[in-house]
Amino acid sequence: METRSFAGVRALVYRRLLRGFAGLFAVLWAVAAGPPAMTAEAAPSRPAAAADDEGLRSLFASENRGIRTAERVVAVTFNAAWNDAGLDPVLDELTRRHAPATFFLTGDFADRYPQVVRRIAAAGHGLGNHSYSHPYFQDLTAAGRRDEVRAADRALRTAGAGGALTPYFRFPYSETSPAYITEVNALGFADIEFTADTNGYMGTEGGMTVDRAVSRALDALRPGAILQMHVGAHEGRTEVLDAQALPRILEAISARGYRVIDVRTLLTTPPAPAALGPVP
């Protein structure tokens, strides 16, 4: 009995020692391996990337000449292809009014004025693609049209557009077609056109005045309107009527109970189905 009892005690001691070593080994292994990986349920959900993609795709297959909404909101946009003659007063007025805008630049402009690209981005405004050389798209092959879009995108990025660069494209001369829009959509860009152009780019030589530019903007004022203006003057001129008209336009927008919105919000806040499209 004594022999069997001693053997039992010895076996019990061995088992306890083995369990102790096993526990110690498990602790050491856990420390060396680090914390356990998250399970699919515990992993954090993706941030806004999916919503951004949904918002962008909701703009595809359309000219987007206005935002279909009942709210008294308006978007302000500028094109730039010639020079930066009107940039300073435009940026100053937008800053004074705390009004966001999106600037559609050609790639050629971005190559010649990279400091302008960086200034617009630093001021908090959006940057859009307006082709590289502002050609008539009907004169180009499909490959040529794709090259224009891609070259402009590269130029804007090289100039320092950074996070201000949007996946928005605006056709030169607003020369759109379903086929052209499909092409730019396939490149990852949504077409953003406009409800009305002030025609300030025509200058006094073209029969325009500041008063007429203001009137054209206000005549188009309705919920969801997208206004198009221009920075710069062509053919060596320095007078930029849109820069002169902008303070009066923004003042009238506010006085009529409207507010200026940033069209980039459409990327992160997808609209309701069929909420966007050409204005009838």
Side-chain angles (χ1 to χ4, degrees), residues 32-269:
M38 285 186 178
T39 64
E41 292 76 17
S45 58
R46 290 183 62 191
D52 289 350
D53 185 65
E54 182 184 350
L56 174 61
R57 291 186 179 280
S58 72
L59 302 174
F60 282 4
S62 176
E63 292 179 320
N64 296 308
R65 292 190 175 274
I67 305 167
R68 292 193 182 277
T69 176
E71 290 187 67
R72 296 172 75 83
V73 296
V74 60
V76 175
T77 67
F78 293 86
N79 294 354
W82 301 304
N83 54 46
D84 63 344
L87 182 71
D88 288 345
V90 165
L91 288 181
D92 288 347
E93 184 62 18
L94 291 173
T95 298
R96 189 175 76 86
R97 292 277 182 180
H98 303 288
T102 299
F103 291 75
F104 290 85
L105 313 183
T106 66
D108 174 64
F109 180 95
D111 281 342
R112 289 183 290 114
Y113 298 98
Q115 72 280 4
V116 170
V117 175
R118 294 190 292 272
R119 283 188 63 193
I120 292 171
H125 302 296
L127 288 161
N129 186 322
H130 196 35
S131 80
Y132 185 82
S133 63
H134 207 278
Y136 286 99
F137 267 38
Q138 65 181 0
D139 295 337
L140 304 177
T141 63
R145 291 189 288 269
R146 290 193 296 269
D147 287 345
E148 279 283 330
V149 178
R150 289 169 174 157
D153 184 66
R154 287 193 299 270
L156 287 162
R157 292 178 186 277
T158 300
L165 188 60
T166 68
Y168 290 159
F169 180 79
R170 176 169 283 169
F171 284 90
Y173 309 105
S174 196
E175 185 185 29
T176 66
S177 78
Y180 298 166
I181 291 172
T182 297
E183 290 172 357
V184 299
N185 289 168
L187 295 174
F189 293 86
D191 177 32
I192 301 293
E193 296 300 321
F194 53 90
T195 307
D197 190 318
T198 61
N199 283 356
Y201 72 92
M202 295 171 62
T204 53
E205 294 84 354
M208 285 300 297
T209 64
V210 172
D211 287 344
R212 288 180 179 176
V214 172
S215 293
R216 284 184 60 84
L218 299 186
D219 287 347
L221 197 59
R222 58 177 177 269
I226 300 175
L227 300 181
Q228 175 175 278
M229 289 175 273
H230 288 76
V231 170
H234 60 90
E235 298 177 2
R237 297 197 297 265
T238 58
E239 183 182 49
V240 181
L241 297 184
D242 282 334
Q244 299 174 41
L246 183 61
R248 290 173 55 185
I249 291 173
L250 293 180
E251 175 66 29
I253 287 174
S254 178
R256 297 188 181 190
Y258 283 78
R259 59 188 175 87
V260 177
I261 62 167
D262 191 334
V263 292
R264 288 176 293 179
T265 60
L266 301 178
L267 295 174
T268 52
T269 309

